[in-house]
Amino acid sequence: MAARRQLGRVRRLVVKVGTSLVAEPGTGPDPDRIAALAAEIAGAREGRETVLVTSGAIATGMARLALPVRPRSIPEKQAAAAVGQSALMWYYEAAFKRHGTAVGQVLLTAQDIGDRARYLNARNTLLALLRFGVLPIVNENDTVAVEEIKVGDNDNLSALVASLIDADLLVLLTDVEGLYTGDPATDPGARVIDTVESVTDDVTRLVYNGTGAGAVGGMATKLQAAQKAAAAGVPMVIASGRKQGVLARILKGEPVGTYFAPKADRLGARKRWIAFAVTPQGRLVVDAGARQALTHHGKSLLPSGVVDVEGDFAAGEVVALVGDGREFARGLVNFDAGELRRIRGAKTRDIAARLGYKSFDEVIHRDNLVIL
Ligand code: GLU
């Protein structure tokens, strides 16, 4: 039996709209569909602060530039995004104007969320827009963001935004009904899962990872988004954006699409930032004993548990912790990569002898560590 959806009163909502709902690679934005989405979102905004995360800039740009296939080179992709983003916003402006809703464009990159100061800045901007009664329309800043500094897909981006502004609900509108038990195109028995309590390996295995033309993510990135949202304590729903009234029904708690339950022990804002917002700058391989101490006994990571140091990072940066070949935690490291290579495996009392000085006992303090 599926558990009941625990959707309290939603005061702050993030809606993510996939490319296939707003634009076709060949023909560009579909004004009728954008108008229908605007009507839905305008309805949802009544009594609720709402942020829209939209895809479709590159598809729109491709249509405007008459590019038959998605550009491969980064400058061309960025050029398509530049053309498409402004065109897309123009459609949204027009559509929301009919509902008396002012919109504001917010373009983010992974760096804007990964850097603590910029993270707070982005948060303040979004909250100020909401206070002004404006609908922020967010996309990745595709025109300047090269791969290394990109979130890469708007599913993950929307979960980061939901976490950033402490939303009560994240809705991913797409062109399928939800998370299926199989590939609905080939498996007649495939059905939509009503509730996912937790995105376990079993759930990930289930996933039929079809991506539509022009789409980036598919279900895999939606499940990553679900994990991020859950950790931030934000429930998430995946549903079809082609169904009229879908948002209103979700907000009433009706069983539409697939509902992902939030974690009860929601991570605090700072730990969420460590866990998800930052791209780790390196990896520490730890031994079984250290892994056990961290995951089961709430301990800090000491030099003695570190087996290997990968990458080049400074003290204070975020690194991933790997045990048994799998990343299981992330944390803010107290030593840089060079120092850690010298003290790995050492007893705490030997740190000073190996480095010539001692700054910290722990490699990663418990307070700066997040178990994933
Ligand atoms: N930012 C991309 C665009 O607007 C879309 C990314 C995605 O669909 O996940 O074209």
Side-chain angles (χ1 to χ4, degrees):
M1 241 339 260
R4 276 220 3 253
R5 298 187 181 209
Q6 300 287 334
L7 219 63
R9 206 162 109 60
V10 176
R11 288 161 202 272
R12 202 174 269 170
L13 170 70
V14 175
V15 180
K16 183 258 172 178
V17 170
T19 294
S20 62
L21 293 179
V22 289
E24 297 291 337
T27 53
D30 179 333
D32 293 340
R33 252 200 228 138
I34 292 180
L37 280 168
E40 294 252 342
I41 292 167
R45 283 182 83 244
E46 276 164 34
R48 233 170 249 118
E49 294 180 322
T50 304
V51 173
L52 172 62
V53 177
T54 188
S55 300
I58 294 176
T60 299
M62 283 169 60
R64 286 282 156 104
L65 296 172
L67 303 176
V69 291
R70 201 176 167 85
R72 285 250 190 85
S73 87
I74 291 171
E76 283 176 2
K77 226 185 272 178
Q78 294 180 334
V83 172
Q85 180 63 30
S86 70
L88 191 58
M89 280 307 289
W90 190 88
Y91 279 94
Y92 278 121
E93 276 268 4
F96 279 105
K97 202 170 178 184
R98 278 178 243 136
H99 301 277
T101 303
V103 302
Q105 170 180 272
V106 178
L107 299 178
L108 297 171
T109 64
Q111 277 187 333
D112 297 319
I113 303 168
D115 177 276
R116 185 80 183 148
R118 281 159 77 171
Y119 176 91
L120 294 173
N121 197 25
R123 173 184 159 87
N124 289 338
T125 306
L126 285 167
L127 296 183
L129 285 166
L130 293 174
R131 273 199 307 279
F132 281 135
V134 170
L135 173 74
I137 302 187
V138 179
N139 195 357
E140 181 131 38
N141 195 350
D142 294 310
T143 60
V144 294
V146 290
E147 298 309 323
E148 304 79 65
I149 62 161
K150 280 190 88 150
V151 177
D153 67 87
N154 279 3
D155 296 324
N156 277 289
L157 179 67
S158 65
L160 291 169
V161 168
S163 167
L164 190 70
I165 63 164
D166 296 306
D168 307 309
L169 177 65
L170 168 63
V171 177
L172 305 187
L173 293 180
T174 179
D175 54 2
V176 294
E177 303 284 327
L179 181 66
Y180 281 87
T181 54
D183 176 358
T186 56
D187 173 3
R191 53 174 191 83
V192 176
I193 300 169
D194 178 82
T195 299
V196 175
E197 283 300 328
S198 156
V199 181
T200 56
D201 286 351
D202 285 346
V203 174
T204 316
R205 257 196 304 278
L206 247 178
V207 165
Y208 150 65
N209 192 22
T211 44
V216 175
M219 274 301 159
T221 53
K222 290 185 176 51
L223 291 185
Q224 291 164 4
Q227 284 171 321
K228 289 190 172 68
V234 182
M236 184 182 111
V237 174
I238 300 177
S240 167
R242 296 184 192 275
K243 291 265 169 75
Q244 222 195 324
V246 63
L247 265 185
R249 291 185 59 204
I250 291 168
L251 288 165
K252 275 191 225 145
E254 289 182 25
V256 184
T258 303
Y259 170 84
F260 294 82
K263 286 221 169 89
D265 49 346
R266 136 193 234 266
L267 288 174
R270 194 164 157 284
K271 289 217 167 176
R272 265 183 268 156
W273 176 78
I274 292 174
F276 296 121
V278 195
T279 310
Q281 298 301 304
R283 283 153 51 102
L284 304 183
V285 180
V286 307
D287 64 22
R291 186 178 174 191
Q292 177 80 7
L294 298 178
T295 53
H296 288 86
H297 305 295
K299 294 282 201 287
S300 298
L301 177 65
L302 301 176
S304 56
V306 178
V307 179
D308 209 358
V309 179
E310 297 172 9
D312 187 21
F313 47 83
E317 291 194 305
V318 171
V319 294
L321 299 190
V322 180
D324 264 347
R326 265 179 77 127
E327 179 182 345
F328 68 94
R330 287 184 183 182
L332 288 180
V333 72
N334 282 335
F335 298 92
D336 69 30
E339 290 171 322
L340 264 178
R341 289 195 172 96
R342 279 185 280 153
I343 61 172
R344 75 185 158 96
K347 294 261 175 278
T348 303
R349 61 170 181 275
D350 297 333
I351 295 177
R354 294 226 188 164
L355 292 181
Y357 52 86
K358 185 167 108 176
S359 40
F360 292 94
D361 284 344
E362 311 87 6
V363 173
I364 298 176
H365 191 274
R366 184 71 209 164
D367 293 344
N368 294 327
L369 181 82
V370 185
I371 307 297
L372 301 175

